[in-house]
Amino acid sequence: MDAQVKPHERLADALAAPLGEVDALIRDRMASENAPRIPEVTQHLVGAGGKRIRPMLTLASARLLGYPGPYDVHLAATVEFIHTATLLHDDVVDESSKRRGRPTANLLWDNKSSVLVGDYLFARSFQLMVETGSLRVLDILANAAATIAEGEVLQLTAMSDLSTGEETYLRIVRGKTAALFSAATEVGGVIAGGTEDQVRALHTYGDALGIAFQMADDVIDWLDETGKGVGDDFRERKMTLPLIRAIANAQGEDWTFWARTIGKGRQEDGDLERAQALLTQTGALESTRATALGWSDKAKDALQQLPDHPLRGMLSDLADFVVERLR
Amino acid sequence: MDAQVKPHERLADALAAPLGEVDALIRDRMASENAPRIPEVTQHLVGAGGKRIRPMLTLASARLLGYPGPYDVHLAATVEFIHTATLLHDDVVDESSKRRGRPTANLLWDNKSSVLVGDYLFARSFQLMVETGSLRVLDILANAAATIAEGEVLQLTAMSDLSTGEETYLRIVRGKTAALFSAATEVGGVIAGGTEDQVRALHTYGDALGIAFQMADDVIDWLDETGKGVGDDFRERKMTLPLIRAIANAQGEDWTFWARTIGKGRQEDGDLERAQALLTQTGALESTRATALGWSDKAKDALQQLPDHPLRGMLSDLADFVVERLR
């Protein structure tokens, strides 16, 4: 196996046929004869690519249990629709202007279109899952949708709140990332008729993978060596795990510094550098890095419950890959 | 029967017991231990009252077919959640500042909370309907959700577009009002185990009632005698039926007037009065009034397919009531 080929690329290769069906289904269902604005907005997003991790998680989960299709294709399209809908709404909430290197829909059109087209995609995803005829699948995805929305609201209210604890952070991370990952893997197992142990293992894998992925992102945001904008979370006063751990034992001048920059949002030149230094000195970055690696291990462990299969190996490599930037 | 007591008040009286259960279920399910912002925002809306027409439509439809409960209560709460979610998102889209005489959630908190709490209520409604265990009910509500979102997008893109036709208007009206009305009545019939004819009749009733209700609203917006703000649709350049019909045959100076005020949005003092005069002279208001009354009759006719029952009489009176302001 060529080490240069990334795990999600190998997954895309192994799942090329059903992924093609997912794409066709997405194109078909996002169309709206009546409201041409809808495909305009969604085309913009779907055309922008993205790694399609979530649909691949569903397809891989179902197929490593020997499921031949076709309903994993519906479910893969469902999770991608839910993901796209949340991106549209996030862009309104974050007031962001770029997504995947292109202007966001809310800038190209307006916030109104982002809200309403997001609602349309939610409704379409809901129609797709009803077609599978599985009430259990519907239950899992309905719960995921509630967890996602709850996590997003929680993130909004925790912003700049210095008393935010690790438990709240974990709930936010489950909402913004892990809930859809774990629903994607779990419904794959359910539609394939997996045993309860297998379905539970797939849920655990998706949950741990999502948490590891998001935690890695939250560490990277503080590191200088990446090409991406450093310190976005500091500027937006997002209470991510590195910050929570740095603030946990802060006293004296350090506490005053956090109360001013995060609590009150009064930030000056040099503050980001001081914040970065505090996160390193307190060991907050290092310990978050270790926690993220722990979640990646947990994801890989869960896979042991599942049949030996090339797709299982790729899912395991994916769990390594999401934290690779931390090594 | 006291003529002073309005039909929706008589319905609320006849359905007092199950409506109480709906309220309790709504209070229970809109709670979120993890994100206290959620009940703050929803309490604000639910506390504001409203006539609860939609949940009553579901309860009345099920119970006039002899259904004793309990799942019509779940479905009634479901449709009220969907309705509340669309109100929250509408307030963002319309940039409105008042709803039911109180400041809207997007002003009291922010657009972000309105978007995310709306998403949360959608997800909660989805969980509630899964609990009924009826895939047919899920199918009806999923289709309604898609029609609602599509109609809202269509309304956004049709705004100020002088070429908007009556067919597009009807699609918009179905999206913003009738789709949830007809889903509310139809799922009541399905959960009660009604015959196909009965279920179809309930759907037709809800659809026609919703259209009559919205058309009446669109006529009233042009009339001086109401207490409400007159001419909102003119100022927002909304292509409602009276305007579509007035513009349809406009020529010369009149056409230039519409192209300026609606097409380009350049409105001056006296324009509203001239627009009102044109809608009267062309017969556009009068013919829309007649069309609305026709939909009200259609709603009442559909009820003939259903068993004789006090609730049926109240639903019939409700169809008269929604167009009463036009008589």
Side-chain angles (χ1 to χ4, degrees):
Chain A
M1 197 67 69
D2 183 354
Q4 294 302 97
V5 182
K6 291 169 179 160
H8 57 86
E9 292 164 348
R10 276 186 284 134
L11 276 167
D13 214 40
L15 298 165
L19 261 184
E21 292 173 43
V22 172
D23 284 349
L25 192 57
I26 287 176
R27 270 195 305 276
D28 183 50
R29 297 305 176 90
M30 79 181 180
S32 163
E33 274 176 45
N34 305 327
R37 170 69 53 89
I38 291 172
E40 276 172 36
V41 173
T42 51
Q43 188 65 55
H44 173 75
L45 266 176
V46 175
K51 298 189 189 67
R52 291 180 305 177
I53 294 287
R54 294 159 192 80
M56 289 201 293
L57 288 176
T58 301
L59 296 174
S61 300
R63 284 170 198 238
L64 77 81
L65 294 178
Y67 183 67
Y71 286 123
D72 58 341
V73 169
H74 283 71
L75 293 173
T78 296
V79 297
E80 191 65 359
F81 269 5
I82 295 177
H83 175 57
T84 309
T86 60
L87 290 186
L88 280 166
H89 286 184
D90 278 359
D91 286 342
V92 176
V93 170
D94 291 347
E95 293 155 8
S96 33
S97 56
K98 292 248 174 174
R99 160 89 55 196
R100 293 175 185 164
R102 299 170 60 168
T104 54
N106 60 327
L107 270 203
L108 279 184
W109 289 274
D110 47 29
N111 274 343
K112 303 173 186 193
S113 295
S114 293
V115 171
L116 296 177
V117 175
D119 288 350
Y120 181 73
L121 291 180
F122 269 130
R124 291 302 244 172
S125 76
F126 180 15
Q127 289 178 311
L128 272 169
M129 52 185 124
V130 170
E131 287 174 35
T132 67
S134 163
L135 279 165
R136 183 158 173 204
V137 152
L138 286 157
D139 188 44
I140 293 164
L141 288 164
N143 292 338
T147 304
I148 291 169
E150 204 173 24
E152 300 264 11
V153 176
L154 205 54
Q155 169 166 277
L156 200 62
T157 51
M159 197 121 11
S160 81
D161 179 355
L162 297 182
S163 71
T164 305
E166 298 203 5
E167 204 187 316
T168 299
Y169 170 76
L170 206 59
R171 241 183 225 125
I172 291 171
V173 167
R174 285 215 158 91
K176 66 193 282 191
T177 310
L180 195 52
F181 274 45
S182 61
T185 48
E186 189 175 355
V187 296
V190 167
I191 207 74
T195 67
E196 285 310 302
D197 280 349
Q198 289 171 336
V199 170
R200 200 176 306 113
L202 283 167
H203 174 93
T204 303
Y205 168 78
D207 181 58
L209 180 76
I211 294 172
F213 174 81
Q214 188 60 51
M215 260 182 207
D217 232 44
D218 292 344
V219 170
I220 300 293
D221 194 84
W222 288 96
L223 301 182
D224 267 332
E225 56 254 43
T226 58
K228 281 168 62 177
V230 179
D232 280 349
D233 291 345
F234 178 69
R235 276 182 291 272
E236 293 173 23
R237 302 148 76 195
K238 270 192 192 156
M239 293 296 293
T240 63
L241 193 55
L243 187 57
I244 289 170
R245 289 188 174 167
I247 291 178
N249 299 308
Q251 291 187 323
E253 274 188 17
D254 291 348
W255 172 259
T256 312
F257 172 74
W258 293 124
R260 172 174 63 79
T261 56
I262 302 295
K264 297 193 179 131
R266 294 211 312 268
Q267 301 185 0
E268 301 160 7
D269 279 357
D271 280 346
L272 174 60
E273 292 71 18
R274 181 169 170 193
Q276 286 173 308
L278 282 171
L279 261 66
T280 304
Q281 284 159 30
T282 55
L285 271 180
E286 180 51 32
S287 85
T288 304
R289 188 188 145 276
T291 305
L293 294 178
W295 282 104
S296 166
D297 288 342
K298 191 175 176 190
K300 288 187 286 180
D301 284 349
L303 293 174
Q304 297 310 312
Q305 308 270 339
L306 299 167
D308 190 18
H309 191 288
L311 287 167
R312 190 183 77 167
M314 295 178 210
L315 290 179
S316 182
D317 292 346
L318 185 64
D320 278 326
F321 180 70
V322 298
V323 292
E324 199 182 65
R325 298 166 296 172
L326 302 184
R327 289 185 197 277
Chain B
M1 197 68 68
D2 183 353
Q4 293 303 96
V5 181
K6 292 170 179 157
H8 56 85
E9 293 164 348
R10 277 187 283 135
L11 276 167
D13 215 40
L15 298 165
L19 261 184
E21 292 172 44
V22 172
D23 284 349
L25 193 58
I26 287 176
R27 269 196 305 276
D28 182 50
R29 297 305 175 89
M30 79 180 180
S32 163
E33 274 176 43
N34 305 328
R37 169 70 51 89
I38 291 172
E40 276 171 37
V41 173
T42 51
Q43 188 66 56
H44 173 75
L45 265 176
V46 176
K51 299 191 188 70
R52 290 179 304 176
I53 293 287
R54 292 159 194 81
M56 289 200 294
L57 288 176
T58 301
L59 296 173
S61 299
R63 285 172 197 237
L64 78 82
L65 294 179
Y67 184 68
Y71 286 122
D72 59 339
V73 169
H74 283 70
L75 293 172
T78 296
V79 296
E80 189 67 359
F81 268 5
I82 295 177
H83 175 58
T84 309
T86 60
L87 290 186
L88 280 167
H89 286 184
D90 278 357
D91 286 342
V92 176
V93 170
D94 291 347
E95 292 155 7
S96 32
S97 56
K98 292 248 173 173
R99 161 89 57 198
R100 292 175 186 165
R102 299 169 61 169
T104 55
N106 60 327
L107 270 202
L108 278 184
W109 288 275
D110 46 31
N111 274 342
K112 303 173 187 195
S113 296
S114 293
V115 171
L116 296 177
V117 175
D119 288 349
Y120 181 72
L121 291 180
F122 269 130
R124 291 303 245 173
S125 77
F126 182 14
Q127 288 178 311
L128 272 169
M129 51 185 125
V130 170
E131 287 174 34
T132 67
S134 163
L135 278 166
R136 183 159 173 203
V137 152
L138 286 157
D139 188 44
I140 293 164
L141 289 163
N143 292 339
T147 304
I148 291 169
E150 205 173 25
E152 300 264 12
V153 175
L154 206 54
Q155 170 167 276
L156 200 60
T157 52
M159 199 123 9
S160 81
D161 179 354
L162 297 182
S163 71
T164 306
E166 298 204 6
E167 204 187 317
T168 299
Y169 169 77
L170 206 59
R171 243 184 221 123
I172 292 170
V173 167
R174 284 214 159 91
K176 66 193 283 193
T177 311
L180 195 53
F181 274 44
S182 61
T185 49
E186 189 175 354
V187 298
V190 167
I191 208 74
T195 66
E196 285 310 303
D197 280 350
Q198 289 172 336
V199 169
R200 201 175 307 116
L202 283 167
H203 174 93
T204 303
Y205 168 79
D207 181 58
L209 180 77
I211 294 171
F213 175 80
Q214 188 59 51
M215 261 182 207
D217 232 44
D218 292 343
V219 170
I220 299 293
D221 194 83
W222 287 96
L223 301 181
D224 266 333
E225 55 255 43
T226 58
K228 281 169 63 178
V230 179
D232 281 350
D233 291 345
F234 178 68
R235 276 182 292 273
E236 294 173 21
R237 304 147 73 195
K238 270 191 194 158
M239 293 296 293
T240 63
L241 193 55
L243 187 56
I244 289 170
R245 290 190 173 167
I247 291 177
N249 300 307
Q251 292 186 322
E253 273 188 18
D254 291 347
W255 173 259
T256 312
F257 172 75
W258 293 125
R260 171 174 63 80
T261 55
I262 302 294
K264 298 194 179 130
R266 293 209 316 266
Q267 300 185 0
E268 300 159 7
D269 280 357
D271 281 346
L272 174 60
E273 292 70 19
R274 179 168 171 193
Q276 286 174 308
L278 283 171
L279 261 66
T280 305
Q281 287 160 26
T282 56
L285 271 180
E286 181 52 32
S287 84
T288 304
R289 189 189 145 274
T291 305
L293 294 178
W295 282 104
S296 166
D297 287 341
K298 190 174 178 191
K300 287 187 286 181
D301 284 348
L303 293 174
Q304 298 310 313
Q305 308 270 340
L306 299 167
D308 190 19
H309 190 288
L311 287 168
R312 190 183 76 167
M314 294 178 210
L315 290 179
S316 182
D317 292 347
L318 185 65
D320 278 327
F321 179 70
V322 297
V323 292
E324 199 183 64
R325 297 166 297 172
L326 303 184
R327 289 183 197 277

